[in-house]
């Protein structure tokens, strides 16, 4: 079955008389003798969400309280004193987590350019884990996940791919050879900017069991309501990604022609650096784009003037969001005038008119 069908069918009850959707189960404890006992270990609502996400990604999903909780549990798989090779463009909070763990002597990290496959593989020789983002946030770079997976020593070096910006609708990293996929379900999977949720999807039951053990012992568990809403989000994931991708392309094409815009990054544009790898590895180009204005002040002014689009951090919701990622990392890798847009489900014409007005006024 195709992802759009799985997103609708997976994680449901199949018995006669059962509700079509598994209802949220609010419980900390279950009567003894059954499948569930204490709810820090498992909850039927988490399991419905995990079943659906696991089916979509082709692996075994373990839900966590946030994307970062899933990332932390996955890094716990690294033996004490182990070595991680991470993309220099990995999500900033993941880099901070790696730094903290390096400072406390638990592991060491080598940062690499994820687009230089040969250099990455050379650095990964003897490493315990390689950490990549399928589509970097906010850099929108796409590494050759399949070639990297093929070049790593299976069983020695685990490949972890953060697929938050692409979701299983665009890419299934496990099929390309990854060992664990990380999702911040806070973003596209939840899809409505009203919850925090994460997941790690493992290639094997053994890896999933290790992640589950970590979740139970650290208590990095998701809430019942959040996993229930997360599964509701999955039902429309394919539709939302499809709509967002289409509108993102339209906005990118308008922006390319705008005189105030220095550069546009959207992998769907033929000349974009991510176009070729994304076309090869993914089914579409996604709902996130970025463009650069000459100055930070100009970019901030656009954020202050949009009315249909909302100025806020985060991404992946039905509402289109704009932000200047450089405001979080002054003087860092991100260009100061860069604006990122996460495209939602509004009418594309309304979005462009809003952006055009804000650009003119700024
Ligand atoms: C948001 C995000 C995370 C962290 O997820 P939370 O749910 O906020 O903890 C990790 N990776 C990427 C790429 C993200 O965008």
């Amino acid at each position: 079955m195709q992802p759009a069908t799985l997103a609708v069918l997976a994680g449901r009850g199949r018995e006669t008389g059962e509700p079509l959707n598994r209802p949220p189960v609010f419980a900390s404890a279950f009567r003894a003798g059954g499948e569930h006992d204490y709810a820090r270990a498992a909850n039927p609502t988490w399991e419905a969400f995990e079943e659906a996400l696991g089916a979509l990604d082709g692996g075994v999903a373990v839900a966590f309280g946030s994307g970062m909780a899933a990332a932390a549990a996955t890094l716990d798989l690294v033996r004490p004193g182990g070595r991680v090779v991470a993309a220099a463009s990995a999500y900033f909070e993941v880099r901070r987590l790696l730094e903290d763990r390096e400072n406390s002597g638990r592991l060491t990290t080598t940062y690499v350019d994820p687009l230089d496959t040969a250099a990455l593989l050379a650095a990964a020789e003897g490493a315990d884990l390689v950490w990549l983002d399928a589509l970097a946030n906010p850099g929108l770079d796409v590494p050759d996940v399949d070639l990297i997976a093929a070049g790593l020593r299976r069983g020695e070096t685990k490949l972890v791919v953060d697929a938050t910006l692409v979701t299983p609708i665009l890419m299934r990293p496990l099929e390309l050879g990854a060992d664990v996929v990380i999702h911040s379900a806070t973003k596209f999977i939840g899809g409505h900017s009203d919850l925090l949720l994460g997941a790690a999807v493992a290639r094997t039951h053994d890896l999933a069991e290790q992640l589950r053990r970590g979740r139970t012992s650290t208590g990095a568990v998701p809430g019942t309501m959040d996993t229930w809403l997360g599964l509701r989000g999955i039902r429309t994931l394919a539709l939302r990604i499809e709509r967002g991708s289409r509108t993102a392309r339209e906005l990118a094409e308008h922006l390319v022609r705008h005189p105030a815009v220095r550069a546009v990054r959207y992998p769907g544009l033929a000349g974009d650096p991510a176009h070729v790898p994304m076309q090869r590895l993914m089914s579409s180009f996604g709902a996130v784009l970025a463009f650069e204005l000459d100055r930070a002040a100009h970019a901030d002014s656009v954020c202050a003037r949009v009315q249909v689009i909302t100025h806020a951090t985060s991404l992946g919701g039905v509402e289109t969001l704009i932000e200047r990622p450089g405001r979080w990392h002054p003087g860092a890798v991100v260009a100061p005038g860069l604006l990122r847009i996460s495209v939602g489900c509004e009418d594309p014409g309304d979005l462009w008119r809003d952006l055009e007005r804000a650009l003119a006024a700024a």
Side-chain angles (χ1 to χ4, degrees):
M1 277 186 281
Q2 294 300 307
T5 311
L6 281 174
V8 172
L9 295 189
R12 293 188 187 274
R14 298 256 174 270
E15 303 299 316
T16 312
E18 261 191 292
L20 265 63
N21 296 291
R22 298 218 191 122
V25 177
F26 297 104
S28 58
F30 300 82
R31 286 187 189 279
E35 202 182 312
H36 298 93
D37 38 55
Y38 188 59
R40 185 161 21 77
N43 167 301
T45 314
W46 308 352
E47 287 162 358
F49 171 77
E50 289 170 341
E51 210 177 296
L53 187 58
L56 277 170
D57 255 327
V60 190
V62 183
F64 286 87
S66 68
M68 285 312 301
T74 304
L75 288 178
D76 281 342
L77 300 174
V78 177
R79 68 187 164 86
R83 191 164 69 86
V84 173
V85 169
S89 55
Y91 183 64
F92 80 98
E93 196 73 67
V94 169
R95 281 185 277 129
R96 199 140 75 178
L97 183 62
L98 285 165
E99 235 168 74
D100 290 346
R101 293 198 171 183
E102 177 143 8
N103 291 339
S104 59
R106 288 173 64 178
L107 49 76
T108 59
T109 305
T110 311
Y111 287 100
V112 293
D113 173 1
L115 303 185
D116 187 344
T117 300
L120 186 152
L121 288 173
E125 194 65 42
D128 298 272
L129 189 147
V130 170
W131 190 287
L132 300 174
D133 285 30
L135 175 62
N137 173 14
L140 303 181
D141 295 324
V142 176
D144 291 321
V145 171
D146 53 347
L147 305 180
I148 292 167
L152 293 175
R153 237 180 274 263
R154 166 80 25 103
E156 186 177 297
T157 309
K158 287 186 188 70
L159 177 59
V160 180
V161 176
D162 182 333
T164 296
L165 264 65
V166 298
T167 82
I169 301 299
L170 296 189
M171 183 193 196
R172 285 163 295 286
L174 299 179
E175 286 174 4
L176 302 175
D179 296 286
V180 179
V181 180
I182 301 292
H183 292 291
S184 168
T186 309
K187 314 288 170 57
F188 285 103
I189 289 175
H192 296 75
S193 309
D194 54 6
L195 57 85
L196 275 164
L197 184 64
V201 188
R203 163 188 289 283
T204 64
H205 283 280
D206 178 53
L207 265 178
E209 189 46 39
Q210 290 178 54
L211 290 164
R212 237 178 260 125
R213 279 280 317 132
R215 178 180 69 183
T216 302
S217 57
T218 61
V221 295
T224 293
M225 197 66 187
D226 294 330
T227 41
W228 184 71
L229 286 170
L231 180 51
R232 168 164 287 213
I234 285 178
R235 301 299 183 219
T236 57
L237 183 59
L239 268 180
R240 289 184 285 106
I241 294 276
E242 200 180 292
R243 169 71 177 229
S245 301
R246 211 168 343 116
T247 308
R249 174 188 292 278
E250 256 188 76
L251 294 179
E253 285 168 354
H254 283 301
L255 284 165
V256 162
R257 292 192 294 266
H258 197 285
V261 174
R262 259 194 188 176
V264 179
R265 285 297 317 273
Y266 180 62
L269 297 175
D272 192 88
H275 185 70
V276 170
M278 197 138 168
Q279 191 161 42
R280 190 164 59 78
L281 298 172
M282 309 201 202
S283 60
S284 169
F285 297 103
V288 180
L289 71 147
F291 63 100
E292 203 185 322
L293 300 179
D294 55 350
R295 287 175 297 120
H298 192 184
D300 283 336
S301 169
V302 170
C303 291
R305 286 165 204 271
V306 285
Q307 288 168 0
V308 177
I309 301 172
T310 303
H311 178 211
T313 192
S314 195
L315 52 96
V318 292
E319 48 298 276
T320 298
L321 302 184
I322 190 165
E323 88 151 334
R324 188 171 72 78
R327 76 184 165 120
W328 302 107
H329 322 275
V333 281
V334 187
L338 187 85
L339 287 166
R340 181 190 68 203
I341 298 186
S342 163
V343 180
C345 296
E346 304 91 336
D347 177 79
D350 285 337
L351 291 171
W352 173 244
R353 278 186 293 278
D354 188 42
L355 198 54
E356 202 179 22
R357 199 175 330 115
L359 277 163

